[in-house]
Amino acid sequence: GDQVEQSPSALSLHEGTGSALRCNFTTTMRAVQWFRKNSRGSLINLFYLASGTKENGRLKSAFDSKERYSTLHIRDAQLEDSGTYFCAAEDGSSGNKLIFGIGTLLSVKP
Amino acid sequence: GALVYQYPRRTICKSGTSMRMECQAVGFQATSVAWYRQSPQKTFELIALSTVNSAIKYEQNFTQEKFPISHPNLSFSSMTVLNAYLEDRGLYLCGARDLGSAETLYFGSGTRLTVL
């Protein structure tokens, strides 16, 4: 099965609200990165975590290697947050290879 | 800051022909470069991982004969899709990082390949 299970696949939020995306891993991962794919198709780095939590503005991410999951919390969502979000986990046993989740299509509505 | 420029952004090729895409790392040393493909309705799949001064490692279902990669220095990598067919269409991304000093993988903007 897939090593990185990302959910939900799609999410709709009203402006000002928040929610969380989650990635579960079937094996122990060394680190996780979160990206947002913008309207031009570019992958924008959001976070890199080897453990613990990081916060940047209205985004906060956590990674627990032992419990095999990572989350991305969005608060006070804005229209420009719309896009597809990906988590990608680093399988340290495979030479720094990143394994991507399926992505979450976030739509923020007025 | 660290940036990865990837070009072309879009390309269209006839079935059976080949196309080449390139990535340029700016602001850091790209000791490791990974090439990914996102096929329609799928997530990103790793094609191969290239580390300077090491052999390029291809994932299952991807071969050097089909996707030859060059990584001649710490700022440049290219990949060619040989004999492209319909199943090769998708978004190709290069991701690079400096294994010695940074963990974050920086991605280019991708090359969208359409095969006619």
Side-chain angles (χ1 to χ4, degrees), chain B residues 78-115:
Chain B
S78 68
M79 184 177 75
T80 302
V81 181
L82 294 174
N83 300 317
Y85 288 98
L86 195 60
E87 59 265 26
D88 295 320
R89 71 191 194 281
L91 179 69
Y92 289 80
L93 277 180
C94 69
R97 65 176 153 193
D98 182 345
L99 289 176
S101 65
E103 303 284 6
T104 303
L105 195 66
Y106 296 98
F107 282 93
S109 52
T111 297
R112 185 163 295 282
L113 172 62
T114 300
V115 181

PDB file of all heavy atoms in Angstrom, chain B residues 78-115:
ATOM      1  N   SER B  78      19.983  17.978 -15.889  1.00  0.00           N
ATOM      2  CA  SER B  78      19.022  17.867 -16.990  1.00  0.00           C
ATOM      3  C   SER B  78      18.515  16.444 -17.065  1.00  0.00           C
ATOM      4  O   SER B  78      19.184  15.506 -16.609  1.00  0.00           O
ATOM      5  CB  SER B  78      19.668  18.262 -18.324  1.00  0.00           C
ATOM      6  OG  SER B  78      20.639  17.306 -18.696  1.00  0.00           O
ATOM      7  N   MET B  79      17.329  16.322 -17.619  1.00  0.00           N
ATOM      8  CA  MET B  79      16.754  14.999 -17.850  1.00  0.00           C
ATOM      9  C   MET B  79      16.081  15.015 -19.222  1.00  0.00           C
ATOM     10  O   MET B  79      15.455  16.014 -19.610  1.00  0.00           O
ATOM     11  CB  MET B  79      15.718  14.633 -16.789  1.00  0.00           C
ATOM     12  CG  MET B  79      15.180  13.213 -16.955  1.00  0.00           C
ATOM     13  SD  MET B  79      14.015  12.718 -15.686  1.00  0.00           S
ATOM     14  CE  MET B  79      12.565  13.620 -16.197  1.00  0.00           C
ATOM     15  N   THR B  80      16.227  13.944 -19.940  1.00  0.00           N
ATOM     16  CA  THR B  80      15.598  13.804 -21.255  1.00  0.00           C
ATOM     17  C   THR B  80      14.556  12.701 -21.185  1.00  0.00           C
ATOM     18  O   THR B  80      14.783  11.674 -20.532  1.00  0.00           O
ATOM     19  CB  THR B  80      16.652  13.465 -22.329  1.00  0.00           C
ATOM     20  OG1 THR B  80      17.643  14.501 -22.357  1.00  0.00           O
ATOM     21  CG2 THR B  80      16.005  13.372 -23.707  1.00  0.00           C
ATOM     22  N   VAL B  81      13.430  12.933 -21.808  1.00  0.00           N
ATOM     23  CA  VAL B  81      12.423  11.891 -21.975  1.00  0.00           C
ATOM     24  C   VAL B  81      12.578  11.391 -23.406  1.00  0.00           C
ATOM     25  O   VAL B  81      12.305  12.127 -24.367  1.00  0.00           O
ATOM     26  CB  VAL B  81      10.996  12.422 -21.746  1.00  0.00           C
ATOM     27  CG1 VAL B  81       9.985  11.288 -21.914  1.00  0.00           C
ATOM     28  CG2 VAL B  81      10.875  13.048 -20.362  1.00  0.00           C
ATOM     29  N   LEU B  82      13.083  10.179 -23.560  1.00  0.00           N
ATOM     30  CA  LEU B  82      13.340   9.635 -24.889  1.00  0.00           C
ATOM     31  C   LEU B  82      12.105   8.899 -25.402  1.00  0.00           C
ATOM     32  O   LEU B  82      11.411   8.222 -24.635  1.00  0.00           O
ATOM     33  CB  LEU B  82      14.523   8.670 -24.845  1.00  0.00           C
ATOM     34  CG  LEU B  82      15.897   9.281 -24.523  1.00  0.00           C
ATOM     35  CD1 LEU B  82      16.936   8.179 -24.382  1.00  0.00           C
ATOM     36  CD2 LEU B  82      16.318  10.262 -25.602  1.00  0.00           C
ATOM     37  N   ASN B  83      11.852   9.051 -26.691  1.00  0.00           N
ATOM     38  CA  ASN B  83      10.732   8.336 -27.328  1.00  0.00           C
ATOM     39  C   ASN B  83       9.456   8.500 -26.516  1.00  0.00           C
ATOM     40  O   ASN B  83       8.861   7.528 -26.053  1.00  0.00           O
ATOM     41  CB  ASN B  83      11.072   6.854 -27.481  1.00  0.00           C
ATOM     42  CG  ASN B  83      12.293   6.650 -28.341  1.00  0.00           C
ATOM     43  OD1 ASN B  83      12.451   7.293 -29.377  1.00  0.00           O
ATOM     44  ND2 ASN B  83      13.176   5.775 -27.916  1.00  0.00           N
ATOM     45  N   ALA B  84       9.060   9.734 -26.348  1.00  0.00           N
ATOM     46  CA  ALA B  84       7.896  10.018 -25.503  1.00  0.00           C
ATOM     47  C   ALA B  84       6.609   9.481 -26.118  1.00  0.00           C
ATOM     48  O   ALA B  84       6.379   9.609 -27.325  1.00  0.00           O
ATOM     49  CB  ALA B  84       7.784  11.521 -25.279  1.00  0.00           C
ATOM     50  N   TYR B  85       5.789   8.901 -25.266  1.00  0.00           N
ATOM     51  CA  TYR B  85       4.477   8.441 -25.684  1.00  0.00           C
ATOM     52  C   TYR B  85       3.438   8.993 -24.729  1.00  0.00           C
ATOM     53  O   TYR B  85       3.765   9.671 -23.738  1.00  0.00           O
ATOM     54  CB  TYR B  85       4.441   6.909 -25.774  1.00  0.00           C
ATOM     55  CG  TYR B  85       5.220   6.398 -26.955  1.00  0.00           C
ATOM     56  CD1 TYR B  85       6.529   5.926 -26.799  1.00  0.00           C
ATOM     57  CD2 TYR B  85       4.679   6.436 -28.244  1.00  0.00           C
ATOM     58  CE1 TYR B  85       7.260   5.501 -27.897  1.00  0.00           C
ATOM     59  CE2 TYR B  85       5.410   6.009 -29.345  1.00  0.00           C
ATOM     60  CZ  TYR B  85       6.695   5.549 -29.157  1.00  0.00           C
ATOM     61  OH  TYR B  85       7.419   5.137 -30.254  1.00  0.00           O
ATOM     62  N   LEU B  86       2.194   8.689 -25.021  1.00  0.00           N
ATOM     63  CA  LEU B  86       1.090   9.291 -24.278  1.00  0.00           C
ATOM     64  C   LEU B  86       1.248   9.095 -22.772  1.00  0.00           C
ATOM     65  O   LEU B  86       0.968   9.996 -21.984  1.00  0.00           O
ATOM     66  CB  LEU B  86      -0.233   8.688 -24.754  1.00  0.00           C
ATOM     67  CG  LEU B  86      -1.498   9.425 -24.352  1.00  0.00           C
ATOM     68  CD1 LEU B  86      -1.488  10.842 -24.910  1.00  0.00           C
ATOM     69  CD2 LEU B  86      -2.736   8.676 -24.855  1.00  0.00           C
ATOM     70  N   GLU B  87       1.713   7.936 -22.357  1.00  0.00           N
ATOM     71  CA  GLU B  87       1.816   7.658 -20.915  1.00  0.00           C
ATOM     72  C   GLU B  87       2.912   8.456 -20.224  1.00  0.00           C
ATOM     73  O   GLU B  87       3.003   8.449 -18.996  1.00  0.00           O
ATOM     74  CB  GLU B  87       2.044   6.158 -20.677  1.00  0.00           C
ATOM     75  CG  GLU B  87       3.289   5.599 -21.323  1.00  0.00           C
ATOM     76  CD  GLU B  87       3.006   4.975 -22.678  1.00  0.00           C
ATOM     77  OE1 GLU B  87       2.021   5.378 -23.333  1.00  0.00           O
ATOM     78  OE2 GLU B  87       3.790   4.087 -23.073  1.00  0.00           O
ATOM     79  N   ASP B  88       3.721   9.153 -21.017  1.00  0.00           N
ATOM     80  CA  ASP B  88       4.781   9.981 -20.430  1.00  0.00           C
ATOM     81  C   ASP B  88       4.314  11.398 -20.138  1.00  0.00           C
ATOM     82  O   ASP B  88       5.073  12.187 -19.558  1.00  0.00           O
ATOM     83  CB  ASP B  88       5.992  10.049 -21.373  1.00  0.00           C
ATOM     84  CG  ASP B  88       6.665   8.706 -21.558  1.00  0.00           C
ATOM     85  OD1 ASP B  88       6.791   7.963 -20.548  1.00  0.00           O
ATOM     86  OD2 ASP B  88       7.055   8.383 -22.695  1.00  0.00           O
ATOM     87  N   ARG B  89       3.112  11.735 -20.499  1.00  0.00           N
ATOM     88  CA  ARG B  89       2.654  13.101 -20.289  1.00  0.00           C
ATOM     89  C   ARG B  89       2.453  13.347 -18.792  1.00  0.00           C
ATOM     90  O   ARG B  89       2.186  12.436 -18.024  1.00  0.00           O
ATOM     91  CB  ARG B  89       1.359  13.364 -21.054  1.00  0.00           C
ATOM     92  CG  ARG B  89       0.126  12.690 -20.519  1.00  0.00           C
ATOM     93  CD  ARG B  89      -1.024  12.819 -21.504  1.00  0.00           C
ATOM     94  NE  ARG B  89      -2.309  12.483 -20.920  1.00  0.00           N
ATOM     95  CZ  ARG B  89      -2.759  11.257 -20.723  1.00  0.00           C
ATOM     96  NH1 ARG B  89      -1.999  10.230 -21.057  1.00  0.00           N
ATOM     97  NH2 ARG B  89      -3.956  11.054 -20.205  1.00  0.00           N
ATOM     98  N   GLY B  90       2.629  14.606 -18.442  1.00  0.00           N
ATOM     99  CA  GLY B  90       2.474  14.957 -17.028  1.00  0.00           C
ATOM    100  C   GLY B  90       3.362  16.133 -16.670  1.00  0.00           C
ATOM    101  O   GLY B  90       3.942  16.789 -17.537  1.00  0.00           O
ATOM    102  N   LEU B  91       3.470  16.401 -15.398  1.00  0.00           N
ATOM    103  CA  LEU B  91       4.297  17.483 -14.890  1.00  0.00           C
ATOM    104  C   LEU B  91       5.575  16.882 -14.310  1.00  0.00           C
ATOM    105  O   LEU B  91       5.515  16.048 -13.420  1.00  0.00           O
ATOM    106  CB  LEU B  91       3.551  18.248 -13.802  1.00  0.00           C
ATOM    107  CG  LEU B  91       4.313  19.406 -13.149  1.00  0.00           C
ATOM    108  CD1 LEU B  91       4.503  20.545 -14.143  1.00  0.00           C
ATOM    109  CD2 LEU B  91       3.561  19.903 -11.910  1.00  0.00           C
ATOM    110  N   TYR B  92       6.707  17.312 -14.832  1.00  0.00           N
ATOM    111  CA  TYR B  92       8.000  16.828 -14.370  1.00  0.00           C
ATOM    112  C   TYR B  92       8.633  17.905 -13.488  1.00  0.00           C
ATOM    113  O   TYR B  92       8.710  19.072 -13.872  1.00  0.00           O
ATOM    114  CB  TYR B  92       8.918  16.514 -15.549  1.00  0.00           C
ATOM    115  CG  TYR B  92       8.504  15.284 -16.314  1.00  0.00           C
ATOM    116  CD1 TYR B  92       7.470  15.330 -17.253  1.00  0.00           C
ATOM    117  CD2 TYR B  92       9.121  14.055 -16.093  1.00  0.00           C
ATOM    118  CE1 TYR B  92       7.074  14.194 -17.942  1.00  0.00           C
ATOM    119  CE2 TYR B  92       8.731  12.918 -16.780  1.00  0.00           C
ATOM    120  CZ  TYR B  92       7.707  12.993 -17.702  1.00  0.00           C
ATOM    121  OH  TYR B  92       7.313  11.861 -18.377  1.00  0.00           O
ATOM    122  N   LEU B  93       9.072  17.490 -12.328  1.00  0.00           N
ATOM    123  CA  LEU B  93       9.666  18.428 -11.379  1.00  0.00           C
ATOM    124  C   LEU B  93      11.072  17.996 -11.011  1.00  0.00           C
ATOM    125  O   LEU B  93      11.316  16.805 -10.807  1.00  0.00           O
ATOM    126  CB  LEU B  93       8.863  18.448 -10.085  1.00  0.00           C
ATOM    127  CG  LEU B  93       7.620  19.294  -9.977  1.00  0.00           C
ATOM    128  CD1 LEU B  93       7.030  19.121  -8.591  1.00  0.00           C
ATOM    129  CD2 LEU B  93       7.930  20.763 -10.189  1.00  0.00           C
ATOM    130  N   CYS B  94      11.953  18.962 -10.899  1.00  0.00           N
ATOM    131  CA  CYS B  94      13.246  18.659 -10.309  1.00  0.00           C
ATOM    132  C   CYS B  94      13.272  19.287  -8.926  1.00  0.00           C
ATOM    133  O   CYS B  94      12.734  20.373  -8.706  1.00  0.00           O
ATOM    134  CB  CYS B  94      14.405  19.167 -11.167  1.00  0.00           C
ATOM    135  SG  CYS B  94      14.554  20.942 -11.225  1.00  0.00           S
ATOM    136  N   GLY B  95      13.857  18.582  -8.007  1.00  0.00           N
ATOM    137  CA  GLY B  95      14.034  19.086  -6.652  1.00  0.00           C
ATOM    138  C   GLY B  95      15.497  18.951  -6.278  1.00  0.00           C
ATOM    139  O   GLY B  95      16.099  17.922  -6.555  1.00  0.00           O
ATOM    140  N   ALA B  96      16.042  19.977  -5.668  1.00  0.00           N
ATOM    141  CA  ALA B  96      17.469  19.944  -5.364  1.00  0.00           C
ATOM    142  C   ALA B  96      17.727  20.390  -3.940  1.00  0.00           C
ATOM    143  O   ALA B  96      16.959  21.183  -3.378  1.00  0.00           O
ATOM    144  CB  ALA B  96      18.231  20.853  -6.338  1.00  0.00           C
ATOM    145  N   ARG B  97      18.799  19.879  -3.378  1.00  0.00           N
ATOM    146  CA  ARG B  97      19.216  20.363  -2.065  1.00  0.00           C
ATOM    147  C   ARG B  97      20.699  20.134  -1.876  1.00  0.00           C
ATOM    148  O   ARG B  97      21.325  19.354  -2.582  1.00  0.00           O
ATOM    149  CB  ARG B  97      18.439  19.697  -0.956  1.00  0.00           C
ATOM    150  CG  ARG B  97      18.654  18.221  -0.804  1.00  0.00           C
ATOM    151  CD  ARG B  97      17.886  17.753   0.410  1.00  0.00           C
ATOM    152  NE  ARG B  97      17.492  16.373   0.338  1.00  0.00           N
ATOM    153  CZ  ARG B  97      16.612  15.818   1.153  1.00  0.00           C
ATOM    154  NH1 ARG B  97      16.023  16.527   2.069  1.00  0.00           N
ATOM    155  NH2 ARG B  97      16.312  14.547   1.046  1.00  0.00           N
ATOM    156  N   ASP B  98      21.219  20.843  -0.895  1.00  0.00           N
ATOM    157  CA  ASP B  98      22.609  20.688  -0.511  1.00  0.00           C
ATOM    158  C   ASP B  98      22.625  19.748   0.684  1.00  0.00           C
ATOM    159  O   ASP B  98      22.240  20.126   1.796  1.00  0.00           O
ATOM    160  CB  ASP B  98      23.182  22.053  -0.132  1.00  0.00           C
ATOM    161  CG  ASP B  98      24.663  21.973   0.228  1.00  0.00           C
ATOM    162  OD1 ASP B  98      25.163  20.850   0.464  1.00  0.00           O
ATOM    163  OD2 ASP B  98      25.303  23.028   0.278  1.00  0.00           O
ATOM    164  N   LEU B  99      23.040  18.523   0.449  1.00  0.00           N
ATOM    165  CA  LEU B  99      23.023  17.521   1.508  1.00  0.00           C
ATOM    166  C   LEU B  99      23.910  17.906   2.686  1.00  0.00           C
ATOM    167  O   LEU B  99      23.711  17.460   3.796  1.00  0.00           O
ATOM    168  CB  LEU B  99      23.460  16.160   0.947  1.00  0.00           C
ATOM    169  CG  LEU B  99      22.465  15.477   0.013  1.00  0.00           C
ATOM    170  CD1 LEU B  99      23.074  14.191  -0.538  1.00  0.00           C
ATOM    171  CD2 LEU B  99      21.162  15.187   0.728  1.00  0.00           C
ATOM    172  N   GLY B 100      24.896  18.742   2.410  1.00  0.00           N
ATOM    173  CA  GLY B 100      25.833  19.083   3.466  1.00  0.00           C
ATOM    174  C   GLY B 100      25.356  20.145   4.429  1.00  0.00           C
ATOM    175  O   GLY B 100      25.825  20.228   5.563  1.00  0.00           O
ATOM    176  N   SER B 101      24.405  20.969   3.999  1.00  0.00           N
ATOM    177  CA  SER B 101      24.068  22.096   4.862  1.00  0.00           C
ATOM    178  C   SER B 101      22.579  22.351   5.022  1.00  0.00           C
ATOM    179  O   SER B 101      22.183  23.138   5.857  1.00  0.00           O
ATOM    180  CB  SER B 101      24.715  23.364   4.315  1.00  0.00           C
ATOM    181  OG  SER B 101      24.156  23.697   3.055  1.00  0.00           O
ATOM    182  N   ALA B 102      21.743  21.728   4.234  1.00  0.00           N
ATOM    183  CA  ALA B 102      20.312  22.039   4.346  1.00  0.00           C
ATOM    184  C   ALA B 102      19.502  20.785   4.096  1.00  0.00           C
ATOM    185  O   ALA B 102      19.905  19.907   3.346  1.00  0.00           O
ATOM    186  CB  ALA B 102      19.914  23.117   3.350  1.00  0.00           C
ATOM    187  N   GLU B 103      18.371  20.722   4.752  1.00  0.00           N
ATOM    188  CA  GLU B 103      17.535  19.547   4.586  1.00  0.00           C
ATOM    189  C   GLU B 103      16.430  19.759   3.577  1.00  0.00           C
ATOM    190  O   GLU B 103      15.951  18.835   2.955  1.00  0.00           O
ATOM    191  CB  GLU B 103      16.915  19.187   5.940  1.00  0.00           C
ATOM    192  CG  GLU B 103      17.911  18.932   7.050  1.00  0.00           C
ATOM    193  CD  GLU B 103      18.570  17.569   6.916  1.00  0.00           C
ATOM    194  OE1 GLU B 103      18.339  16.878   5.912  1.00  0.00           O
ATOM    195  OE2 GLU B 103      19.326  17.201   7.818  1.00  0.00           O
ATOM    196  N   THR B 104      16.012  21.017   3.458  1.00  0.00           N
ATOM    197  CA  THR B 104      14.860  21.306   2.613  1.00  0.00           C
ATOM    198  C   THR B 104      15.159  21.050   1.151  1.00  0.00           C
ATOM    199  O   THR B 104      16.221  21.423   0.645  1.00  0.00           O
ATOM    200  CB  THR B 104      14.437  22.773   2.795  1.00  0.00           C
ATOM    201  OG1 THR B 104      14.172  23.010   4.167  1.00  0.00           O
ATOM    202  CG2 THR B 104      13.198  23.091   1.982  1.00  0.00           C
ATOM    203  N   LEU B 105      14.229  20.415   0.497  1.00  0.00           N
ATOM    204  CA  LEU B 105      14.309  20.184  -0.941  1.00  0.00           C
ATOM    205  C   LEU B 105      13.613  21.351  -1.628  1.00  0.00           C
ATOM    206  O   LEU B 105      12.466  21.661  -1.323  1.00  0.00           O
ATOM    207  CB  LEU B 105      13.616  18.867  -1.280  1.00  0.00           C
ATOM    208  CG  LEU B 105      13.849  18.239  -2.642  1.00  0.00           C
ATOM    209  CD1 LEU B 105      15.292  17.802  -2.782  1.00  0.00           C
ATOM    210  CD2 LEU B 105      12.927  17.053  -2.826  1.00  0.00           C
ATOM    211  N   TYR B 106      14.320  22.002  -2.548  1.00  0.00           N
ATOM    212  CA  TYR B 106      13.742  23.121  -3.284  1.00  0.00           C
ATOM    213  C   TYR B 106      13.357  22.651  -4.675  1.00  0.00           C
ATOM    214  O   TYR B 106      14.158  22.015  -5.369  1.00  0.00           O
ATOM    215  CB  TYR B 106      14.749  24.269  -3.383  1.00  0.00           C
ATOM    216  CG  TYR B 106      15.093  24.848  -2.037  1.00  0.00           C
ATOM    217  CD1 TYR B 106      16.246  24.464  -1.360  1.00  0.00           C
ATOM    218  CD2 TYR B 106      14.258  25.773  -1.432  1.00  0.00           C
ATOM    219  CE1 TYR B 106      16.554  24.982  -0.122  1.00  0.00           C
ATOM    220  CE2 TYR B 106      14.563  26.307  -0.191  1.00  0.00           C
ATOM    221  CZ  TYR B 106      15.707  25.898   0.461  1.00  0.00           C
ATOM    222  OH  TYR B 106      16.007  26.408   1.688  1.00  0.00           O
ATOM    223  N   PHE B 107      12.137  22.990  -5.075  1.00  0.00           N
ATOM    224  CA  PHE B 107      11.650  22.523  -6.360  1.00  0.00           C
ATOM    225  C   PHE B 107      11.627  23.626  -7.403  1.00  0.00           C
ATOM    226  O   PHE B 107      11.377  24.798  -7.093  1.00  0.00           O
ATOM    227  CB  PHE B 107      10.233  21.964  -6.212  1.00  0.00           C
ATOM    228  CG  PHE B 107      10.207  20.580  -5.630  1.00  0.00           C
ATOM    229  CD1 PHE B 107      10.062  20.386  -4.274  1.00  0.00           C
ATOM    230  CD2 PHE B 107      10.351  19.475  -6.454  1.00  0.00           C
ATOM    231  CE1 PHE B 107      10.049  19.107  -3.737  1.00  0.00           C
ATOM    232  CE2 PHE B 107      10.344  18.190  -5.928  1.00  0.00           C
ATOM    233  CZ  PHE B 107      10.189  18.008  -4.567  1.00  0.00           C
ATOM    234  N   GLY B 108      11.847  23.200  -8.631  1.00  0.00           N
ATOM    235  CA  GLY B 108      11.625  24.085  -9.757  1.00  0.00           C
ATOM    236  C   GLY B 108      10.132  24.197 -10.011  1.00  0.00           C
ATOM    237  O   GLY B 108       9.321  23.560  -9.338  1.00  0.00           O
ATOM    238  N   SER B 109       9.770  24.991 -10.991  1.00  0.00           N
ATOM    239  CA  SER B 109       8.350  25.230 -11.278  1.00  0.00           C
ATOM    240  C   SER B 109       7.744  24.141 -12.151  1.00  0.00           C
ATOM    241  O   SER B 109       6.550  24.147 -12.399  1.00  0.00           O
ATOM    242  CB  SER B 109       8.176  26.582 -11.949  1.00  0.00           C
ATOM    243  OG  SER B 109       9.056  26.666 -13.057  1.00  0.00           O
ATOM    244  N   GLY B 110       8.561  23.222 -12.588  1.00  0.00           N
ATOM    245  CA  GLY B 110       8.018  22.090 -13.328  1.00  0.00           C
ATOM    246  C   GLY B 110       8.021  22.290 -14.832  1.00  0.00           C
ATOM    247  O   GLY B 110       8.012  23.416 -15.337  1.00  0.00           O
ATOM    248  N   THR B 111       8.039  21.188 -15.535  1.00  0.00           N
ATOM    249  CA  THR B 111       7.911  21.171 -16.997  1.00  0.00           C
ATOM    250  C   THR B 111       6.712  20.315 -17.332  1.00  0.00           C
ATOM    251  O   THR B 111       6.687  19.127 -17.007  1.00  0.00           O
ATOM    252  CB  THR B 111       9.164  20.569 -17.667  1.00  0.00           C
ATOM    253  OG1 THR B 111      10.300  21.383 -17.389  1.00  0.00           O
ATOM    254  CG2 THR B 111       8.966  20.465 -19.178  1.00  0.00           C
ATOM    255  N   ARG B 112       5.720  20.941 -17.947  1.00  0.00           N
ATOM    256  CA  ARG B 112       4.523  20.169 -18.301  1.00  0.00           C
ATOM    257  C   ARG B 112       4.688  19.622 -19.710  1.00  0.00           C
ATOM    258  O   ARG B 112       4.836  20.384 -20.671  1.00  0.00           O
ATOM    259  CB  ARG B 112       3.265  21.030 -18.216  1.00  0.00           C
ATOM    260  CG  ARG B 112       2.000  20.207 -18.460  1.00  0.00           C
ATOM    261  CD  ARG B 112       0.747  20.906 -17.984  1.00  0.00           C
ATOM    262  NE  ARG B 112       0.707  21.108 -16.544  1.00  0.00           N
ATOM    263  CZ  ARG B 112       0.406  20.172 -15.655  1.00  0.00           C
ATOM    264  NH1 ARG B 112       0.140  18.945 -16.047  1.00  0.00           N
ATOM    265  NH2 ARG B 112       0.366  20.475 -14.369  1.00  0.00           N
ATOM    266  N   LEU B 113       4.669  18.316 -19.810  1.00  0.00           N
ATOM    267  CA  LEU B 113       4.875  17.645 -21.087  1.00  0.00           C
ATOM    268  C   LEU B 113       3.554  17.152 -21.648  1.00  0.00           C
ATOM    269  O   LEU B 113       2.812  16.418 -20.974  1.00  0.00           O
ATOM    270  CB  LEU B 113       5.835  16.462 -20.920  1.00  0.00           C
ATOM    271  CG  LEU B 113       6.013  15.542 -22.123  1.00  0.00           C
ATOM    272  CD1 LEU B 113       6.609  16.297 -23.311  1.00  0.00           C
ATOM    273  CD2 LEU B 113       6.895  14.350 -21.769  1.00  0.00           C
ATOM    274  N   THR B 114       3.266  17.584 -22.851  1.00  0.00           N
ATOM    275  CA  THR B 114       2.113  17.083 -23.592  1.00  0.00           C
ATOM    276  C   THR B 114       2.636  16.296 -24.779  1.00  0.00           C
ATOM    277  O   THR B 114       3.541  16.753 -25.482  1.00  0.00           O
ATOM    278  CB  THR B 114       1.237  18.246 -24.099  1.00  0.00           C
ATOM    279  OG1 THR B 114       0.785  19.002 -22.972  1.00  0.00           O
ATOM    280  CG2 THR B 114       0.025  17.729 -24.865  1.00  0.00           C
ATOM    281  N   VAL B 115       2.102  15.123 -24.981  1.00  0.00           N
ATOM    282  CA  VAL B 115       2.538  14.275 -26.094  1.00  0.00           C
ATOM    283  C   VAL B 115       1.376  14.111 -27.064  1.00  0.00           C
ATOM    284  O   VAL B 115       0.286  13.691 -26.663  1.00  0.00           O
ATOM    285  CB  VAL B 115       3.009  12.896 -25.591  1.00  0.00           C
ATOM    286  CG1 VAL B 115       3.490  12.047 -26.761  1.00  0.00           C
ATOM    287  CG2 VAL B 115       4.117  13.051 -24.567  1.00  0.00           C
TER     288      VAL B 115
END
